Amino acid sequence: MDLFQELILEHSKRPQHAGLREPFEAEVHHVNPTCGDEVTMRIHVVDPADGSDPIVEDISYDALGCSISMASTSILADESIGRPLSEVLTTYEAMKAMLTSKGEDPGDEEVIGDGIALAGVGKYPARVKCALLGWMALTDALHQSGRGTVVATASESLKSVEGTS
């Protein structure tokens, strides 16, 4: 088994940061109607006293689904918690670009970290929505928390992925 498969299995069997926690500014529930994967996600973003970029203090979630969906959401939380919001959004854009590229974009490990393990998913259009479910929930939660001016809503982002399943 290659390293990427092992990473996906590890994140799906032992999801990082799973379980809904407080405090949070927004909670969303997303379902992938194609396969039935589900995620409920909470986000907590804080504004530093020095006025610098907001920090993603916590992402907590409860998810049910396939190993790709579970691993992707675990990776999202692991790669986002404690990071500036601008970096998290850069990671989101890089993940979305890689996953929707039909295998053309190999991904940049420097930007997406363990998300690189999902690079092969882009070759399987039916699985792209599984891998993006948590990321779409994140963008929706950011929008609902009042930080939507910095990110497209999940429904707008999802339209660009509609043709992939």
Side-chain angles (χ1 to χ4, degrees), residues 3 12 26-27 35 41 43 55 65-66 75 78-79 95 107 109-110 127 138 141 143 154 161:
L3 178 63
S12 68
E27 177 179 296
C35 65
M41 182 176 288
I43 62 157
I55 303 293
C66 68
I75 290 167
D78 217 26
E79 295 293 333
M95 282 293 294
E109 190 171 3
E110 293 292 316
R127 308 303 286 180
L138 172 66
H143 181 74
V161 189

Side-chain angles (χ1 to χ4, degrees), residues 6 11 15 21 24-25 33 46 48 54 60 68 70 75-76 78 85 103 105-106 109 112 117 125 133 162:
E6 288 180 33
H11 273 282
R21 293 181 294 278
F24 62 96
E25 287 76 47
V46 296
S60 62
I68 291 173
M70 297 292 290
I75 290 167
L76 173 156
D78 217 26
L85 182 56
D105 180 348
E109 190 171 3
I112 62 176
L133 182 66
E162 286 296 321

Side-chain angles (χ1 to χ4, degrees), residues 2-5 7-9 11-12 66-76 79 94-103 105-107 112-124 127-128 130-135:
D2 75 7
L3 178 63
F4 289 165
Q5 287 176 317
L7 250 172
I8 291 170
L9 287 174
H11 273 282
S12 68
C66 68
S67 60
I68 291 173
S69 175
M70 297 292 290
S72 186
T73 303
S74 174
I75 290 167
L76 173 156
E79 295 293 333
M95 282 293 294
K96 181 178 158 198
M98 178 186 74
L99 291 167
T100 59
S101 74
K102 298 181 179 157
D105 180 348
I112 62 176
D114 282 355
I116 198 75
L118 298 164
V121 172
K123 296 176 186 171
Y124 304 97
R127 308 303 286 180
V128 170
C130 299
L132 283 176
L133 182 66
W135 297 90

